[in-house]
Amino acid sequence: MLLSFNSKEGRRRRTIIAWICVFVFVSSITVGAAQWFKPFNVTYDHRALILDGHRRMLISAGIHYPRATPEMWSDLIAKAKEGGADVIETYVFWNGHEPAKGQYNFEGRYDLVKFAKLVASNGLYFFLRIGPYACAEWNFGGFPVWLRDIPGIEFRTNNAPFKEEMKRFVSKVVNLMKEEKLFSWQGGPIILLQIENEYGNLESSYGNEGKEYVKWAASMALSLGAGVPWVMCRQPDAPYDIIDTCNAYYCDGFKPNSHNKPTFWTENWDGWYTQWGERLPHRPVEDLAFAVARFFQRGGSLQNYYMYFGGTNFGRTAGGPLQITSYDYDAPIDEYGLLREPKWGHLKDLHAALKLCEPALVAADSPTYIKLGTNQEAHVYQADVHPKGLNLSLSQISRKCSAFLANIDEHKEATVTFRGQAYTLPPWSVSILPDCRNTAFNTAKVGAQTSVKLVGSDLPPASNILPAQQLIHRNGISPISKSWMTAKEPISIWSKSSFTAEGIWEHLNVTKDQSDYLWYSTRIYVSDGDILFWKKNAVHPKLTIDSVRDILRVFVNGQLIGTVVGHWVKVVQTLQFQPGYNNLTLLSQTVGLQNYGAFIEKDGAGIRGTIKLTGFESGNIDLSKSLWTYQVGLQGEFLKFYNEENENAEWVELTPDAIQSTFTWYKTYFDVPGGKDPVALDFESMGKGQAWVNGHHIGRYWTRVSPKSGCQVCDYRGAYNSDKCTTNCGKPTQTLYHVPRSWLKASNNFLVISEETGGNPFGISVKLHSASLVCAQMSESYYPPLQKLVNASLIGQEVSSNDMIPEMHLRCRDGHIISSITFASFGTPEGSCQSFSRGNCHAPSSTSIVSKACLGKSSCSIKISGAVFGDDPCKDVAKTLSVEARCTSPSSTDGSFQL
């Protein structure tokens, strides 16, 4: 390697070469241990997980396999790897794998073995969180509902029936992984396991029996001979041979309960979940990167993004109360599998910077702390002796120094002095110095592109669509179909399986969660005296119920009278009866079973307490001991109206002017555009219900509207919480529902809808998701391109000053190319993505330079330098390049490109 320069720039170039050498050394450890796989042991010390004798700093990406289709898994894992992940993490979902006791399902979306092998084939490690309690906003927290029917059972405590079932399932999973040779010591990817989940939050509810249960769970897990470490998250009293870990928005202050254990962050909440009728959460990437950098700065060694890809709660898998079908989570990869930019790209740069620091981080047992100001501090990792387990040369050892400079002030920028050099730190940010001198990354300075997701009517029409159709698409009113069939769901007892019993039975004891719906029906006699009493006193009879969850609908004589929504809320519903006998029908609905909390097996669903009628001439009528007829589910569910070959339904044609009605089934056939853009159905014209496409249950839908207030301009500075930076105020929480491409045919896709409240199926449309607009903004003072610096191909070559120039990178999603540059300005451009404008300083060649570099390509890079753009348009002024470009599929272009 030629190092014949002694100038300041030369010293900087030598430093960069040192970074590269160190990074490639660390990468060689990974490659050597990840040949699918050379068997290796996993242990740990107080500093980190030790893989094949080497301490590692690990980035983990949470991807829940059932929340995507198997056809999506490879792409998701590859994108996580490209984003800098070393590990893929997932929960194991007991109720998906054992829907009935002793009947196992490890196929389709629940093919855990296939998922693990795909992780391994990408050269990544696997973190398997068996639980078997998951929470995860998943139905019943992952527990199978049949579990609650075992006599004498109490969940998650020192209870023999529960422990027997828990051990049986955990053993099943561990033994399956062994049989498939998926543990590290067998040449597989599994390096870490988890038993239980966030039990420390609830342990006090169970008293001493909870403490005994923790000890038993740990002992049971270790007895299975998995051969890799086990963790318990949020478990301060985790036994000595189980690693206790942190789950939170910030874990930089967390320390395990023993100095002999490393500091792990098993859930970094990079967004948040959403409930029907609520705003959408958003966590700014500047804050997320700050949290990650602070964690590694202060001694952390494994960090897992919850979620890196959130996905979809297909079918009835969404948890409760009231979890929505989308589990997007504002993750770096969105629900549809598209990169969320700049979140994904900024984190990728962060991970690259952390990898440059890894030799110093693993070599030092602890950092040196330096106070730099009131709210500013540095942590320095440096080792001058040969670290155990790392085969470095003396020259490499001498270079092993990395530093993190933090400004935790929420408002003010700060200039600090570190080792005789001044550094300017934006508020609420961390600068990473892999060589203790040069800044490679700052968490608050985003250089990654922004991708604007265009949906449906925002997408440019394909060239093969007729002009009239194009106009419909642009106006966003293109219906999925103009021909619909309909069938009515009976508001009555229809099945031979119905039964009559005294009193109010608990919802789940009857349904066994085979359906959301449970009908309670009884007959009420109203005398002429009651009618006169109501008229004389100007009152109406009322139904009162102590408590219900999640939805209760009240029908009198087949007519919907009222609806109550809530989590164990009181019901007071005014009724209108006719003289004589009246049918009083109550429909209890679950919208996801409780997924969190103590004693969830006792939480149940439906109706609790006393139910009575008030306002009758003779006084109140207690219905709690009356005879009720029970019916589980909808007729269309059990006759499987969603199967195309079904002939049980009495379908009739639906006319556009038909009156919207409650509890109605609809069906139609629809086509989708070709290509690879993800597909969604827009249900904004509907009310509430469920939908199936080609027999696949895509989930519940509901157009419940979020509050109008609470959405503010988002400021990344300061501690994040789920109410900060919310969006979508005053709009339905969810209107778009993912239909995976693998579930679709080229034409004649069969759509069936069960509508509860009355909606217009003629308003349903197909929407394509595409990151069709990409933007970026970068100044000429930005950091050198990290990805270039860590490219192994530079080893043995001189790093020129040209390689140190900041580079803007633009990228379309796979299968798309940059077809036009809609804005480009090098100088002092103003505004932000979709609102850029020229400033007082502008290089006339901006558009032509960017167009030459990018048009017709799937990705491109442009150096941020006056030399690239010709004559300096404004000397002695710091210049920035702002670019906005459009991406399209090559099939939708005619081969020409717009400048």
Side-chain angles (χ1 to χ4, degrees), residues 505-524:
W505 288 27
E506 194 273 328
H507 182 113
L508 288 180
N509 286 340
V510 181
T511 68
K512 309 303 182 185
D513 199 38
Q514 296 302 304
S515 171
D516 284 356
Y517 309 96
L518 177 62
W519 302 86
Y520 305 73
S521 186
T522 193
R523 287 171 65 78
I524 306 297

Side-chain angles (χ1 to χ4, degrees), residues 331-362:
I333 303 175
D334 74 12
E335 177 183 2
Y336 300 89
L338 301 178
L339 301 182
R340 173 171 275 115
E341 298 278 28
K343 183 169 277 191
W344 182 86
H346 192 52
L347 294 177
K348 178 182 179 180
D349 289 342
L350 167 64
H351 303 154
L354 290 171
K355 288 301 177 187
L356 290 171
C357 300
E358 185 168 6
L361 293 176
V362 299

